[in-house]
Amino acid sequence: MDALLRFPEAAKHDPAIDVWLHQQVPELGAIAHAYWRRMRDCGDDVRELMHDGAPTACVGDAAFAYVDAFKAHVNVGFFRGSQIADPAHLLEGAGKSMRHVK
């Protein structure tokens, strides 16, 4: 098994994420914000930080997902997405680990 992507600097709340969310165009920002709220609500051990320009959610210090907004869509990505059962084939990506849904 590959090593987890760890961020010891992840915090319970990163104000930079709120700034990022408010900087998005309204239509896509609303979608990104809704998914980000769901990630924040996944448990008391959820931590967060900005990583590679996108809000990133961790369990403790281990990254599990991110939200990112582009010109015409929002991605919700999973760092270990290749290990998620996806019978409906919603996840995209061909890399070794990461998968996302638009």
Side-chain angles (χ1 to χ4, degrees), residues 8-85:
E9 67 274 22
K12 182 67 178 166
H13 181 82
D14 184 345
I17 292 173
D18 297 322
V19 171
W20 182 91
L21 288 166
H22 291 296
Q23 290 175 339
Q24 305 311 307
V25 295
E27 298 81 13
L28 296 177
I31 295 167
H33 194 251
Y35 281 106
W36 186 251
R37 273 195 313 267
R38 301 275 314 249
M39 287 183 201
R40 276 182 170 161
D41 292 342
C42 282
D44 290 335
D45 55 352
V46 173
R47 300 294 179 262
E48 60 187 52
L49 75 157
M50 291 295 293
H51 171 65
D52 285 345
T56 300
C58 302
V59 175
D61 68 349
F64 74 88
Y66 69 89
V67 173
D68 206 353
F70 297 90
K71 288 183 180 183
H73 70 277
V74 172
N75 273 6
V76 177
F78 304 94
F79 288 93
R80 306 289 288 212
S82 65
Q83 298 174 0
I84 296 173

